[in-house]
Amino acid sequence: MENSAATGDFEQMLRDMIGLSTETVGASVIRHALTRRMTACGLPSLDAYRSYLAGNKSERQELIDTVIVPETWFFRDREAFAAMVRHARETKLTDRPIRLLSLPCSTGEEPYSMAMALFDAGFGPTDFAIDAFDVSSRNLALAGRAIYGKNSFRGSDLSFRERYFEALEGGFRPHEIVRRPVRFSLGNVLDPTRPMEREAYDIIFCRNLLIYFDRETQASALAALRQALSGKGLLLVGPGESGLPSLHGFTSARLPRAFAFTKEAPTPGATARSRSEANAPAIRKLPASTASSAPPKPKPRPFASRATMAPSAPASSPESEAAGLAAIESAANAGRLAEARAAAERHIAAFGPSAEVFYLLGLAQDADDAEEDAAGNYRKALYLAPDHRQALAHLRLLLQRRGDEAGARALADRLDRLTKRSGA
Ligand SMILES: C[S@@+](CC[C@H](N)C(=O)[O-])C[C@H]1O[C@@H](n2cnc3c(N)ncnc32)[C@H](O)[C@@H]1O
């Protein structure tokens, strides 16, 4: 595979088509996808593939299917589904069915979980309808086939599988009653002709997508979601994305660990929790099967300096932003990683996103082996402060551990340039 200059036009094309940001996912992910497609098409070079791709719509779809991250599982972040049920109960004061959207739905686990959660809460099959969109036709084909293996079932409570699935030879299949309310379609959140009507949805799940976008694309996607959400609707995003909706006019619904937002300010006393609890993170250990097989790494060490300078105060205290940061650090220093993660999320909810807090959150997740979340937060720190040395250094180490040599090298170069510029 040629160097990064040679793949620049493909990177731009993927950014234009689906919003994929090379800085976020790493150039090696894109180069890997290009190599796989060149091999699949039997083409000898990138130039040959470039000519083949030009004007070939179905190959463009194949490239999208190869480059996207399909990672998903049933009831990913349970609190999101609890928040959905609570909001559905409030919405169901009218006669019409509740309208829900899962975008991106990936291979279907998310919209099927929405249906199961609503049935568990006592809703009937005609009480709701779920639209499920994704930009990957391959994922949608798997969602329609609806046969799931063990990767789709994570966590300790799998009782829903007994109730809603039948065992087949290749895995488990949700019963017809779960599949029927879900309507899958090819859909791109960035496509101005997307099949989302204005104010069409009472509840939108847009989880673990914004994280792959740059800031401009995040803004376009959130504007589109805002249009598609009804006036009193609820938007749910992923844990790593919880700082973004409030930057684009949404208000936190203040539901702990649900990462839920409304278009309007919440009614006092309705479903609100204390501000400090709002959108605190789901404390989820990665299952052993997905734990890193990389050689043991030194635990990231938060810095003692600020923690010793600032008085210790709960991170949720609105009194002082600095005291909040110090509390995150001291929790991480003491190895209380879940506490550090929760404090960082509360800090974002209370004071808004900042490079330092995203970096500290990444650090705590890194030490807890939640590498994907950690990388996402280091990158968010770098969006806000591109010269954040520690975020650059830790992300570089993380990419190196994951075998992304090119990504790690690019960050090392950035660090070098920074050092030369500052004369340090
Ligand atoms: C990590 S999965 C998230 C699935 C699910 N929401 C969850 O949280 O488990 C990301 C999905 O986003 C889809 N995707 C990427 N870019 C998209 C876009 N511009 N519009 C719609 N879907 C997109 C990918 O195909 C992939 O299935």
Side-chain angles (χ1 to χ4, degrees), residues 26 60 69 96-97 111 193-194 199 205 241 243 263 294 324 332 345 370 385 404:
R60 278 208 298 273
V69 180
R96 64 164 178 77
T193 63
R194 68 196 149 258
E199 306 225 335
F205 273 58
E241 300 156 340
K263 276 163 92 162
E345 283 288 344
D404 180 356

Side-chain angles (χ1 to χ4, degrees), residues 303-310 329 333:
F303 317 106
S305 53
R306 185 174 37 224
T308 50
M309 270 157 38
E329 281 186 4
N333 263 333

Side-chain angles (χ1 to χ4, degrees), residues 251-276:
T251 305
S252 168
R254 303 184 180 184
L255 301 171
R257 297 181 294 280
F259 320 108
F261 295 82
T262 58
K263 276 163 92 162
E264 32 178 58
T267 328
T271 51
R273 295 289 185 277
S274 74
R275 183 171 171 76
S276 62

Side-chain angles (χ1 to χ4, degrees), residues 168-204:
L168 301 178
E169 203 158 316
F172 294 87
R173 183 160 216 241
H175 292 312
E176 158 78 10
I177 193 170
V178 175
R179 286 184 278 121
R180 202 180 319 127
V182 184
R183 196 174 54 177
F184 290 102
S185 322
L186 197 62
N188 182 343
V189 71
L190 303 172
D191 179 357
T193 63
R194 68 196 149 258
M196 280 150 38
E197 287 168 40
R198 233 186 149 75
E199 306 225 335
Y201 297 103
D202 302 303
I203 299 171
I204 296 181

Side-chain angles (χ1 to χ4, degrees), residues 303-323:
F303 317 106
S305 53
R306 185 174 37 224
T308 50
M309 270 157 38
S312 75
S316 58
S317 163
E319 266 94 72
S320 156
E321 198 171 350

